[in-house]
Amino acid sequence: MTPSLSRRVLAGALPVLLAATLAACGTASGDAGEGPTLTVYTDQHAELISKLTQAYTDKTGVRFDIQNDATVGQLEAEGSATKADLFLSEDPTPVAQLGAAGLLAPVDKATLDQVRPGLSSPAGRWVAYAARARVLVYNPDLIAADELPKRLADLAEPQYKGRFAWAPSGAFVATTQYLIATEGEPATRTFLDAVKTNGVNELKNGNVRDTVEAGTHAMGLTNHYYWWILATEKGGPDQLASRIYHFPEVDPGNLVLSSGAGVLKSSPNSAPAQEFLAWLSSADGGQQIIAKDPSAQYPVTPGLASAIAGDLSDIKAPPFDMDKLADSAQAENLLKTLGMSSG
Amino acid sequence: MRRPAGRTAIALAAVAVAAVSLLPVAYLFLTGISLGDVVAQFAYPATADALAQTIGLTLLIAALSLVLGVGAALLVVRTSLPAPRLFTVLFTLPLAVPGFVSAYAAFSAQLTYAPRLGLVTSFGGAAVVMSLTLYPYVFLPSVVALRDVDPALEEIATCLRPGRWTPLLRVVLPALRPAMAAGLLIVVLHVLAEYGAMVQLGRSTLTTKIMAEMLDYGDYQSARSLSLVLMVLSAAVLLGTRVLTGRGRSGDVARGASRPPRRIRLGRLRFPVLVIASAVPLAAVGPTVFMTVRGLTGSARGTAVDWGQVGAALSTTLGYAAVAALVATTVAAPVAWWVTRRPSPASQLTERAVWLAHAIPAAILALALVYLATRLVPGLYKTWVVLVAAYVILFLPLAVASQRVGLDATRQAYDDVAASLGAPPLRTLLRVTLPLALPGFLTGALLVALDASKELTTTLMLVPFNADTLSTRLWATTNGESLDFTAAAPYAGMLVLLGALPVYFLVRATLRQVQLPHPPPPPRVPARIVVNSPS
């Protein structure tokens, strides 16, 4: 009875639906061309990944199946059934976690050697292909450049109370983990307490940028590219009310975090996958695309700068073993205990 | 009358549907959670705060949605508000806008025009923004239910207890109770599971906590533990509202030949009411429409819109949504039929079970489906089949709820009369039950299609490789953070236009059940109830 019901009700619509579905499904999955198809799991900006893979397809004929907004959780849930050949992360944490779980095959040494030192996995589990820096953005209408903190730690000072925004993003968790690793838990806790007291939690890095630009806050802790993306959209840095600021000396506030790429151990396409990584991190391959991309991330090969955000070497970043982010339980626990976690 | 064998088959089918929709919930337990894990979450003060805020927001949004939804329905069906059809469309329109889009539009409008206000990110402000997007779920069933109120009952009530508000308080509102309960349930479960909008509105709820565990910490064990807390909360809501809907129907005097509803003449209040009535949909969709138009026409537009890409996403979205609506309508039918025709603890529990999957955050549901699909049907994983299955599980309750309203419009007694006159069951179904219940079925299908076309979280995980829907493309322009109304505008605009289509059909299906006045009622009588002369 119920089937006949829906049949009756919707019989007229059925051909239309089928046509729509076929149209919808026609776009899925590679139509078995020449060469292998690589399955890329990624949480990078979708537009950038699309550009990179398209360029590689044009050059080599290798095709791609792309899972955007991928998470380690999805890979874990898929278990041995996963189709993923590669993981291209946005922040270092997912590839660090996959590496620590023993799911990544070592990256070819020649590939790792193409990249500036200190950005890839020290254990060679993943290679950096892009980078982002932590920055302070500020609104000159509300704070003069010479009043800005000289170090991240200065934000704990009373004169900055109520004057800056921050967001408990993945990069903030990474900063916390970095501080715990370098300065110890007690000092980190003291600093975070001060951030909580002095700062305003705007929940997302994008909101930090927008509220500083709008004049809600004098300063904000965010990632460099948020500001540059807005600057590009508005027609250049001069069109913005806010400014970007890198701490003058080597400082945790200048922390640089890599986007990492790794090949899954379970991949049946490891050779073409490694070739793709070599191209992705080479100065005349993927790095050219990243250098010009409006997402304003830094390319990672020596001598190449972002056309928008400039050269990574200008940032005085502290050294950091990003594989340490595989286990950020300490940072997580501390942030949660202080009531500074997101969500 | 149906033979018991047929009845058993329907009951079995209903139980099977409920069992399948509970599968994702089972995943939470399959992966091993102990009570200790759950308790450990409360070691952090923020967990209890988030729980309190979740409950507070839920209650406030439920109350606001109830006032807005029932108020709007009364205005459209029971007062002399001009252009009731137009207003029915306008009041339903917020359904066309995805929650995270309208939340960001409100946030973004505030940032542009009053950066220091902090209104939409306050507790009350967030509740208002959310209520403005959710009240149509109360409005639509209320409009349908208002038709069910026999004017004769109101006349009787007025005779027994003269007074201007007697019919409203003694007859109309009690008769609306099932509709209000059904709508509220949808609203509440949406609030409990909402992520994108809540984050944008700066609220910390159980769901935003669960998402933060997954996205910022990669701590899936904690995410699942918190989901369990959320599910207990949802189960309490489900059983609580069952008490509401479980009551008997109000009586009627001459069903099937009931007269058009009586209308309250607005008189001098006409203009202020008109202004308030226009303000509600304007506040709900105004910011989105405004920011979208601004994004499409703004001088800062860097890149040209790739309309080919927009078109591809549009056709994909349409296809998935249509198939999901078709399947959900089919599998909801036995559940709805069983619970309306044979109300019993078993049928009612089965119906409630269908709702439970609706109450866990979509990301957890998606993970559950990833886990189950790669093990049970690996060949179908990352094809449209699993994605449509996810939509069906997520939005099945919308179909069931609407079908119940539809089936309530017909009666077992009619089936019995048909049978006693010698009509075989199939003929009864086709000639009696279906025509009367059809609007409810269509409403359900449209609601499923609408929500499926807006869905984001599950879609991101399950959509076939290289395929895009409008909402995933919209999301891609956010770079995982803030919506940028320049790049997002074509997709936001298309989503709203696409959403407006089912909204139009929804209103038509709803209005088919409700008689609205064609000729304007005679003027002059001051604000009091006009008693129709018996016809």
Side-chain angles (χ1 to χ4, degrees):
Chain A
M1 55 206 62
T2 46
S4 66
L5 165 146
S6 47
R7 227 177 282 148
R8 200 178 123 93
V9 174
L10 294 152
L14 204 55
V16 183
L17 302 186
L18 283 179
T21 315
L22 289 176
C25 302
T27 55
S29 218
D31 334 325
E34 69 301 348
T37 297
L38 292 176
T39 303
V40 173
Y41 275 41
T42 181
D43 60 352
Q44 250 290 359
H45 298 189
E47 301 268 331
L48 175 59
I49 295 298
S50 160
K51 263 184 240 165
L52 287 167
T53 51
Q54 189 58 52
Y56 194 66
T57 304
D58 292 345
K59 185 171 181 285
T60 62
V62 172
R63 290 160 183 277
F64 291 91
D65 279 343
I66 296 170
Q67 169 69 57
N68 284 313
D69 291 86
T71 56
V72 174
Q74 182 172 1
L75 269 173
E76 277 173 359
E78 289 171 356
S80 56
T82 188
K83 297 176 180 174
D85 295 308
L86 296 133
F87 199 103
L88 269 58
S89 75
E90 173 163 349
D91 276 324
T93 307
V95 276
Q97 284 176 341
L98 292 175
L103 295 175
L104 296 181
V107 175
D108 290 345
K109 175 131 194 335
T111 303
L112 291 165
D113 287 345
Q114 298 182 116
V115 174
R116 298 176 195 232
L119 291 176
S120 302
S121 157
R125 293 163 179 160
W126 50 268
V127 62
Y129 67 94
R132 66 266 325 279
R134 293 292 288 169
V135 297
L136 190 74
V137 293
Y138 69 101
N139 192 318
D141 296 342
L142 298 170
I143 189 165
D146 57 6
E147 283 180 79
L148 293 173
K150 299 287 178 282
R151 302 174 305 143
L152 180 68
D154 292 346
L155 286 174
E157 302 296 326
Q159 74 259 33
Y160 297 116
K161 188 167 169 55
R163 301 188 75 186
F164 70 94
W166 59 281
S169 63
F172 192 82
V173 178
T175 306
T176 304
Q177 191 64 39
Y178 170 83
L179 290 174
I180 292 172
T182 51
E183 295 172 19
E185 219 222 81
T188 309
R189 177 190 279 263
T190 310
F191 171 70
L192 289 176
D193 256 333
V195 168
K196 194 184 173 190
T197 314
N198 280 0
V200 178
N201 183 351
E202 282 289 352
L203 292 173
K204 296 166 104 189
N205 283 323
N207 292 356
V208 169
R209 169 198 70 187
D210 292 344
T211 49
V212 173
E213 172 67 19
T216 317
H217 309 291
M219 301 174 288
L221 291 169
T222 184
N223 294 348
H224 82 279
Y225 58 91
Y226 286 103
W227 190 84
W228 285 107
I229 287 175
L230 189 66
T232 311
E233 272 169 21
K234 297 278 151 106
D238 302 343
Q239 305 299 312
L240 293 191
S242 57
R243 294 284 171 268
I244 195 163
Y245 173 73
H246 303 287
F247 294 94
E249 301 302 331
V250 172
D251 190 88
N254 292 337
L255 196 66
V256 165
L257 297 167
S258 303
S259 297
V263 176
L264 274 291
K265 251 186 201 159
S266 57
S267 164
N269 299 314
S270 63
Q274 292 283 359
E275 281 165 33
F276 173 64
L277 286 196
W279 174 84
L280 182 65
S281 58
S282 78
D284 47 3
Q287 293 301 302
Q288 287 296 334
I289 292 167
I290 289 165
K292 292 189 200 94
D293 193 70
S295 74
Q297 301 180 66
Y298 294 110
V300 293
T301 45
L304 195 60
S306 160
I308 297 168
D311 197 330
L312 193 54
S313 342
D314 296 341
I315 292 164
K316 295 182 176 162
F320 184 32
D321 171 3
M322 286 175 244
D323 270 335
K324 287 224 163 66
L325 293 171
D327 181 10
S328 49
Q330 266 183 300
E332 178 184 351
N333 190 44
L334 186 55
L335 289 169
K336 280 196 206 165
T337 308
L338 294 172
M340 296 174 78
S341 59
S342 61
Chain B
M1 203 172 306
R2 265 180 199 84
R3 282 165 293 114
R7 223 181 289 159
T8 314
I10 293 179
L12 282 177
V15 172
V17 168
V20 170
S21 65
L22 280 179
L23 268 181
V25 177
Y27 155 83
L28 285 179
F29 297 96
L30 279 176
T31 48
I33 294 179
S34 70
L35 194 61
D37 292 329
V38 178
V39 175
Q41 296 301 319
F42 286 91
Y44 305 113
T47 310
D49 291 350
L51 181 62
Q53 179 148 184
T54 305
I55 295 172
L57 274 173
T58 306
L59 290 176
L60 184 54
I61 294 169
L64 286 172
S65 303
L66 199 62
V67 171
L68 286 171
V70 173
L74 283 170
L75 274 185
V76 165
V77 184
R78 304 300 301 267
T79 71
S80 59
L81 184 78
R85 272 156 216 281
L86 176 66
F87 270 103
T88 310
V89 173
L90 288 177
F91 282 135
T92 317
L93 210 54
L95 277 188
V97 186
F100 74 94
V101 174
S102 56
Y104 188 70
F107 176 80
S108 175
Q110 168 178 293
L111 212 53
T112 313
Y113 298 105
R116 287 158 190 271
L117 197 57
L119 193 64
V120 307
T121 46
S122 69
F123 181 86
V128 168
V129 173
M130 291 294 295
S131 305
L132 283 170
T133 67
L134 291 173
Y135 78 87
Y137 290 112
V138 177
F139 169 71
L140 282 175
S142 297
V143 169
V144 176
L146 278 174
R147 175 208 61 162
D148 278 1
V149 184
D150 192 329
L153 265 184
E154 293 174 53
E155 284 152 22
I156 293 166
T158 318
C159 289
L160 293 175
R161 196 182 222 278
R164 188 168 156 195
W165 301 106
T166 300
L168 186 68
L169 295 178
R170 300 275 157 168
V171 178
V172 178
L173 287 182
L176 272 180
R177 202 166 47 209
M180 291 194 280
L184 269 187
L185 191 55
I186 296 175
V187 169
V188 165
L189 296 184
H190 265 89
V191 175
L192 289 177
E194 179 61 47
Y195 168 62
M198 287 296 184
V199 168
Q200 204 55 65
L201 297 171
R203 297 293 100 201
S204 172
T205 66
L206 277 178
T207 295
T208 63
K209 281 253 168 289
I210 291 165
M211 295 300 288
E213 290 295 347
M214 303 205 307
L215 298 178
D216 294 334
Y217 302 123
D219 184 347
Y220 292 87
Q221 190 68 6
S222 293
R224 285 187 288 261
S225 304
L226 288 171
S227 299
L228 215 58
V229 178
L230 184 63
M231 236 168 51
V232 170
L233 202 60
S234 309
V237 171
L238 285 168
L239 294 175
T241 46
R242 200 185 85 86
V243 175
L244 263 178
T245 41
R247 303 282 198 86
R249 293 172 48 89
S250 53
D252 50 7
V253 177
R255 238 198 120 67
S258 73
R259 287 167 277 138
R262 303 184 314 162
R263 294 177 166 271
I264 298 170
R265 311 235 2 99
L266 292 173
R268 230 167 306 161
L269 291 174
R270 193 178 139 125
F271 186 68
V273 168
L274 199 62
V275 170
I276 295 169
S278 315
V280 168
L282 192 68
V285 299
T288 306
V289 171
F290 178 70
M291 294 307 285
T292 303
V293 170
R294 198 165 169 263
L296 273 175
T297 56
S299 53
R301 270 216 81 82
T303 46
V305 183
D306 182 349
W307 288 105
Q309 226 168 32
V310 178
L314 177 68
S315 80
T316 310
T317 308
L318 271 174
Y320 295 160
V323 179
L326 186 69
V327 177
T329 302
T330 311
V331 300
V335 180
W337 188 89
W338 196 28
V339 74
T340 30
R341 285 296 189 269
R342 304 272 177 262
S344 68
S347 64
Q348 283 164 352
L349 267 183
T350 304
E351 190 259 354
R352 293 286 101 166
V354 164
W355 288 83
L356 205 53
H358 198 66
I360 56 177
I364 291 277
L365 181 97
L367 269 187
L369 286 168
V370 169
Y371 183 89
L372 295 166
T374 46
R375 279 157 187 81
L376 302 175
V377 283
L380 295 179
Y381 180 58
K382 291 305 274 182
T383 69
W384 61 274
V385 178
V386 172
L387 179 60
V388 166
Y391 289 154
V392 170
I393 290 175
L394 265 175
F395 304 125
L396 192 58
L398 299 176
V400 171
S402 304
Q403 292 183 4
R404 284 187 67 173
V405 175
L407 286 168
D408 266 337
T410 163
R411 291 292 177 87
Q412 181 61 45
Y414 301 170
D415 297 5
D416 295 345
V417 169
S420 73
L421 295 171
L426 185 67
R427 193 174 155 79
T428 307
L429 180 77
L430 293 181
R431 298 294 302 274
V432 179
T433 314
L434 257 189
L436 282 166
L438 193 62
F441 277 71
L442 285 177
T443 305
L446 287 168
L447 281 176
V448 172
L450 196 57
D451 263 21
S453 63
K454 291 188 294 187
E455 211 286 332
L456 176 65
T457 320
T458 317
T459 313
L460 283 173
M461 220 178 278
L462 297 175
V463 74
F465 292 126
N466 308 335
D468 273 307
T469 67
L470 288 173
S471 51
T472 64
R473 287 230 58 105
L474 179 71
W475 184 246
T477 65
T478 69
N479 294 325
E481 277 270 356
S482 305
L483 260 185
D484 149 24
F485 266 95
T486 317
Y491 297 102
M494 208 48 96
L495 260 179
V496 174
L497 284 182
L498 181 66
L501 204 68
V503 162
Y504 170 75
F505 285 118
L506 264 176
V507 170
R508 263 187 42 164
T510 308
L511 290 184
R512 201 178 302 156
Q513 305 180 47
V514 183
Q515 292 144 305
L516 293 175
H518 267 301
R524 262 333 64 195
V525 194
R528 57 183 284 269
I529 297 162
V530 177
V531 179
N532 289 7
S533 54
S535 44

